[in-house]
Amino acid sequence: MYWPQWIGAAIVFHVCSSAPPPSDDNNVLHIGGIFPINGKGGWQGGQACMPAANLALEDVNKRKDLLPGYSLKLHSNDSECEPGLGASVMYNLLYNQPQKLMLLAGCSTVCTTVAEAAKMWNLIVLCYGASSPALSDRNRFPTLFRTHPSATVHNPTRIKLMKKFGWSRVAILQQAEEVFISTVEDLETRCMEANIEIVTRQSFLSDPGDAVRNLRRQDARVIVGLFYVVAARRVLCEMYKQKLYGKSYTWFFIGWYEDNWFEMNLKEEQINCTASQMREAAEGHLTTEALMWNQNLNERTISGMTAEDFRLRLNQVLRREGYKIDNQRYPEGYQEAPLAYDAVWSVALAFNKTMDRLHKYGKSLKEFNYNNKEIADDIYSAINSTQFLGISGYVAFSSQGDRIALTQIEQVINGSYVVLGYYDTQADNLSWFDREVWHGVKVPQDRTIIRKVLRTVSLPLFICMCVISSVGIIIAIGLVVFNVWNSHRRVIQSSHPVCNTIMLFGIAVCLTAVFLLGLDGRFVSPAAYPAICQARAWLLSTGFTLSFGAMFSKVWRVHRLTTKAKSDPKVRMKKVEPWKLYSMVSGLLVADFIVMLVWQLFDPLQRRIEQFPLREPESSSDDSKIRPELEHCESRNNNVWLAVIYAYKGLVLIFGLFLAYETRSVKVKQINDSRYVGMSIYNVVILCLITAPVTMVIASQQDASYAFVALAIVFCCFLSMALIFVPKVIEVIRHPRDKAESKYNPDAGVSKEDEERYQKLLNENEDLQRLITQKEEKIKLLKEKLAEKEAGKGALTPLTQGKDTLIVADFITDAGTSDSAFGAGFSIYTRSSRCSQSDIEFSESYL
């Protein structure tokens, strides 16, 4: 321990010099008193304890059977609860006449200094106001006794209360003083033995602001506060500012503060809280204190007074000293006043017993000096065995010099302390009166109770989507029946009914996945959820491949036919082989199966919980926080697998979109619904491109995510069924017999290619018309020339006789052209040797 230089000098002086001469007053036994009165920090309990000690001196000196022939006299001074000043007071008491037989001291820090040094003078130190557990060390303080119980006497009581109310998690806030440090060390040991967690231990010197804020950050709910009353007021004000009071918090304070301590000296100590705010923050806190007043107010004590008699006498003295007792303005140390009173009585009884023992040996207490260890040992034995009923209760000392006492438990209810019970540490007996009152009706919790609430899909939304999906499945099944039942009809045969059935089956599978997408913790257990995740993935992947793959295979074949027809026109008349369509769907299914199987075997989907920030419960009386959670289906490398799936499906979608665009105006008789298939592919691609990224963004919003995905699936499925099957159903209804629909082709509309071909033929016809007109004019001229020749010569000599037909070669040669100039089927004939207008026939044919 660190001692100032003057203390060391005093010890050296004591060792090297003789004791001071005894007093001349042989009928007075002198004791020294060290009282903390006018200090600004620590415990200034001397304000009430010193008047109580003076009352005890009066009562002791009145007793004729106690210390016969002698009287006690107290020599005292103020230590201000400062250890240095206390040592100085002790030095002055010891080295100034008269000689002292014993020392009284208060305030743990002062008692520590005084008791550690007093053994050098063979002096017994009796502390009336010191609770530091460190003072229980007999090796360090061999001559110390105290009427104030050790602060550690509170710890068993605190542990008992924690177990009673089910608290297993506490925090500690302490002032950086030795008395509280040693108390906390003892409390930590006891908490460890009782399996009680100390979540944090905060300390402060003068300003508790940061320490209190740290308690809030550590979610401390049950807090043990260890500090002097001046610091306690600052802590209470900071509690109010940080809202660390009320239904969610329980505070343990030291019970030896005055009853109205939280309303006192607010302005003097510059506390930035009003009295009403302090009362509000103090409401409901618990205190533990060793009993300092006899609980039986009418029981006569060794002094002949009851505890109530002593209270009245003390109040009168305090009024004379200027304290406003009637206004509940008690001086500091008022609760410990009985301890100071009984301390003086303990000294008197010990001296009396020592005098009796010394008298047998012909000795007297007046022979005591600071070198007389024999008489000092007699005084020690006498006070160690002292037992009596005092104002503070039954007074007795343990082997460590500690006061043996019951512990009282109180709670502030409506601004006043109410006794809840008593605890006997030695007998482990808790007497409880069931008077406690809690803000929230129930016992506060020792931690923030977090209730996990699983976010689930809205039940009305789930039911609505299930109903719509069920209707879609029923429609798909109905269309499958329709497709099979009318498979002999030309309108169905030309659209490849097996492909349509595959598509409908895929649509039914996709709509079934809508049910599984809405299944969550409301319907399935966490153990079964991974199976639901796997089923979702398989159904969606397989259903998409079946439905989209069937449409993709059709539009692929249309594109292939169109491409080959340009080089070989006969291809357009060939029949489409069904196995080519089915093989493409099968290939896509095999790719799906491989990817999904590898995913499931090496990195299966599992249930992952997404947690959201805490929120307040709906009920104000519910002292808990709600932690929303949301289930997700994810694997360890979920992003990698999604990238593979999206890349594979995306390529198929983009390629299908390309083929649909390329064949947008193409019609073939072999696949009569190719245009509607292309339109379906457009819609599927667009919705997939929108749905995939959007669902990743809104994945944390279960209702929005489910509704978006379910509606996208439902819309794609219904639209595809409508585009492909509604025209067929209408046609079958309109033409019940197959003969009437022999010319049916839903794609019979004029295509762009046919329009171009038709326009080309029209242009060619116009050119032929002009050529025919020119030839007719030349024929007319030839006829005129023939007529002139006939008129001049009389008759034309036949070129060939005996024939019915003459081919006019000269005419063709004269015409300057050949038959090929007039088209593939244009020719000129004559039936006689004479060429007349009626004899010439023009025959035209056009492809």
Side-chain angles (χ1 to χ4, degrees), residues 727-738:
K728 296 178 177 59
V729 172
I730 293 174
E731 184 64 25
V732 169
I733 293 174
R734 285 180 177 177
H735 305 94
R737 296 183 180 180
D738 189 54

Side-chain angles (χ1 to χ4, degrees), residues 51-63:
N54 291 328
L55 288 177
L57 285 172
E58 293 178 12
D59 295 340
V60 166
N61 290 330
K62 288 178 182 178
R63 290 281 294 268

Side-chain angles (χ1 to χ4, degrees), residues 207-226:
D207 183 9
D210 291 337
V212 174
R213 284 189 287 272
N214 287 337
L215 291 176
R216 186 177 188 86
R217 283 191 282 268
Q218 295 291 334
D219 188 34
R221 293 298 195 92
V222 179
I223 307 159
V224 178
L226 301 170

